[in-house]
C-alpha cells in the first residue's frame, strides 16, 4: 500500500513539475509579446479606430448568438474556461463529443490582436496569460466589443462594421436576428462559411448557432425553426 502511495505521489510531482515548466515557458512568451507591444496598447488603439463599434451599439441578437456558439460561459470564467479546455481535450479523442477548440472569446481576442494564428501548445498557453491580463484591465463588454471588431467575417470583411455594411447594407445595430445568427457562425472558418460562395455552408452553421442559443435559453425551439427559415436579407 505504501509503495502504491509513493508511486502516486511521484506521478503527481512529475505532472505538477511538467505543468509548472509549461506555464513558465508560456509566460516567457507572453512577456516577449508584452515587451514588444503591450496588450493594453493594442486594445486602446483598436477602440480608437474609425468605425469601431462599441458594445452598446451592438444588437443583443449578435451578442447572444456569438456567446452561445463561441463561449457560452463567457460571463462566468476569468478569461480561461477550464471546463472548455477539458471538453476540447476529450473531443479530440472521443468522436461522440462535438469538436471544440477550448479557446474563450477573451483568448481569441488576444490571438487576433497579436495575429497569433499558429496553433501550438505554447501559443495557447501564452494566450491564457494574455487573457488574464485582458480580464484584469477591461470589462467583459469592452473585450467582447474589441473581439467582434477585429475578427474575420469572410469575404475580406474585418470586423462587424464591414460585415454588416458589406453583406447587408445596414449598420451593426440594425442587424436582424437572422443576420446576426448567420454572421456569428462565420468566424469559426471564414473561408468555408463566407456568404459570397458558401451560403449553404453558412446556413448549416447558422442552424448550429440557433441550437446553441436554444440550449443557452436565449430562444425557444419554435423560434429556432422560424429564424432558420427566414431570409437573411431584409
Amino acid at each position: 500500500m505504501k509503495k502504491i502511495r509513493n508511486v502516486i505521489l511521484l506521478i503527481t510531482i512529475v505532472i505538477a513539475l511538467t505543468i509548472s515548466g509549461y506555464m513558465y515557458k508560456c509566460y516567457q512568451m507572453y512577456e516577449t509579446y508584452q515587451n514588444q507591444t503591450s496588450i493594453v496598447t493594442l486594445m486602446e488603439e483598436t477602440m480608437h479606430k474609425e468605425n469601431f463599434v462599441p458594445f452598446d451599439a451592438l444588437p443583443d441578437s449578435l451578442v447572444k448568438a456569438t456567446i452561445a456558439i463561441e463561449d457560452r460561459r463567457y460571463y462566468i470564467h476569468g478569461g480561461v474556461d477550464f471546463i472548455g479546455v477539458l471538453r476540447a481535450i476529450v473531443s479530440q479523442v472521443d468522436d461522440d463529443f462535438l469538436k471544440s477548440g477550448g479557446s474563450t472569446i477573451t483568448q481569441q481576442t488576444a490571438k487576433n490582436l497579436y495575429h497569433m494564428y499558429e496553433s501550438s501548445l505554447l501559443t495557447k498557453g501564452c494566450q491564457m496569460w494574455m487573457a488574464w491580463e485582458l480580464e484584469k484591465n477591461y470589462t467583459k463588454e469592452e473585450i467582447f466589443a474589441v473581439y467582434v471588431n477585429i475578427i474575420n467575417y469572410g469575404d475580406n470583411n474585418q470586423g462587424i462594421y464591414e460585415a454588416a455594411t458589406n453583406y447587408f447594407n445596414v449598420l451593426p445595430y440594425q442587424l436582424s436576428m437572422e443576420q446576426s445568427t448567420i454572421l456569428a457562425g462565420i468566424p469559426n472558418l471564414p473561408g468555408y462559411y463566407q456568404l459570397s460562395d458558401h451560403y449553404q455552408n453558412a446556413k448549416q452553421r447558422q442552424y448550429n448557432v440557433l441550437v446553441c442559443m436554444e440550449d443557452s435559453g436565449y430562444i425557444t425551439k419554435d423560434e429556432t425553426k422560424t429564424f432558420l427559415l427566414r431570409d437573411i436579407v431584409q
Side-chain angles (χ1 to χ4, degrees):
M1 193 70 178
K2 184 178 180 182
K3 186 176 291 186
I4 294 175
R5 284 201 301 268
N6 288 339
V7 170
I8 293 174
L9 178 61
L10 179 61
I11 292 173
T12 303
I13 291 173
V14 170
I15 292 173
L17 289 174
T18 301
I19 293 174
S20 297
Y22 164 70
M23 290 305 293
Y24 178 68
K25 286 184 178 180
C26 294
Y27 183 75
Q28 286 183 310
M29 177 182 274
Y30 158 77
E31 279 199 314
T32 299
Y33 274 98
Q34 295 309 292
N35 290 335
Q36 292 172 354
T37 308
S38 76
I39 199 162
V40 170
T41 297
L42 292 178
M43 285 285 286
E44 296 300 319
E45 288 176 352
T46 301
M47 289 190 286
H48 286 88
K49 284 184 177 179
E50 184 181 7
N51 295 328
F52 177 83
V53 185
F55 185 83
D56 58 9
L58 295 170
D60 188 57
S61 56
L62 180 74
V63 175
K64 289 179 177 177
T66 304
I67 289 175
I69 193 66
E70 292 290 343
D71 186 4
R72 66 178 62 189
R73 284 179 289 275
Y74 179 63
Y75 284 107
I76 299 174
H77 63 67
V80 178
D81 182 6
F82 290 103
I83 295 175
V85 172
L86 181 60
R87 185 178 181 85
I89 293 171
V90 174
S91 75
Q92 301 308 310
V93 297
D94 189 340
D95 291 335
D96 291 333
F97 271 73
L98 182 67
K99 296 303 179 186
S100 169
S103 293
T104 64
I105 284 174
T106 313
Q107 287 170 267
Q108 291 179 56
T109 301
K111 168 185 171 179
N112 282 276
L113 283 170
Y114 283 103
H115 307 291
M116 299 172 67
Y117 302 127
E118 176 198 353
S119 183
S120 69
L121 285 175
L122 201 58
T123 56
K124 291 284 186 182
C126 176
Q127 288 161 19
M128 287 185 182
W129 287 105
M130 291 175 174
W132 288 324
E133 183 70 14
L134 283 176
E135 296 270 347
K136 184 174 71 175
N137 289 282
Y138 297 94
T139 66
K140 291 285 187 180
E141 291 74 17
E142 288 171 328
I143 295 169
F144 184 90
V146 168
Y147 172 71
V148 296
N149 274 273
I150 62 176
I151 54 175
N152 184 356
Y153 282 99
D155 290 312
N156 296 316
N157 293 308
Q158 208 68 31
I160 193 60
Y161 181 86
E162 289 186 5
T165 55
N166 291 334
Y167 278 137
F168 307 120
N169 197 31
V170 298
L171 293 174
Y173 78 89
Q174 297 173 311
L175 288 167
S176 66
M177 174 66 81
E178 294 75 29
Q179 293 166 345
S180 291
T181 51
I182 208 163
L183 287 180
I186 295 176
N188 178 252
L189 286 172
Y192 186 72
Y193 294 122
Q194 62 188 16
L195 301 185
S196 64
D197 54 356
H198 293 294
Y199 180 74
Q200 290 307 315
N201 294 344
K203 286 296 290 184
Q204 179 58 49
R205 178 67 172 171
Q206 181 190 32
Y207 172 73
N208 295 337
V209 172
L210 289 165
V211 169
C212 286
M213 292 183 74
E214 183 186 320
D215 291 342
S216 298
Y218 294 140
I219 59 176
T220 65
K221 187 178 292 290
D222 287 340
E223 286 175 319
T224 294
K225 296 176 183 177
T226 300
F227 293 134
L228 190 65
L229 292 172
R230 286 181 184 170
D231 195 337
I232 59 171
V233 180
Q234 290 178 325

